[in-house]
Amino acid sequence: MTTQGIETLSDLAWTEVANGSTNVTIATRSTESFFAVLSPTEPAVGLDRDGTFEGEAGKPVGYSDLTPTDRVWAISNKGALKVSVVKS
């Protein structure tokens, strides 16, 4: 089953966008970017961005073949940002 929703990200805290889904795609139409990471717990706000994937308009971030315990987190690069999250 595929579900699609809108999440509002902030640059002050990570938002859990997927938990228990097999495939996840996060996209935005904004000129601002976001970062996404696969982590079992909420990452620290100051997380080194080297371990993350950056998404922006025309460049979504996707994860596939996730296990039921995998959790995907996202944070805005600057201010509030709306993203589309598709899970299957």
Side-chain angles (χ1 to χ4, degrees):
M1 177 180 189
T2 299
T3 62
Q4 182 173 352
I6 301 293
E7 293 281 347
T8 301
L9 307 180
S10 109
D11 59 356
L12 302 175
W14 288 87
T15 300
E16 184 178 19
V17 294
N19 182 348
S21 300
T22 303
N23 301 296
V24 178
T25 301
I26 309 160
T28 186
R29 291 184 180 173
S30 173
T31 57
E32 296 298 332
S33 62
F34 64 91
F35 296 94
V37 67
L38 183 64
S39 176
T41 59
E42 182 176 357
V45 172
L47 174 73
D48 180 3
R49 301 290 200 250
D50 288 342
T52 66
F53 291 97
E54 185 173 11
E56 57 191 28
K59 184 181 161 195
V61 173
Y63 292 91
S64 59
D65 298 323
L66 300 174
T67 69
T69 59
D70 286 336
R71 298 167 75 184
V72 178
W73 302 83
I75 193 168
S76 171
N77 189 35
K78 180 180 174 187
L81 175 68
K82 289 191 185 289
V83 295
S84 171
V85 180
V86 178
K87 301 180 248 186
S88 60

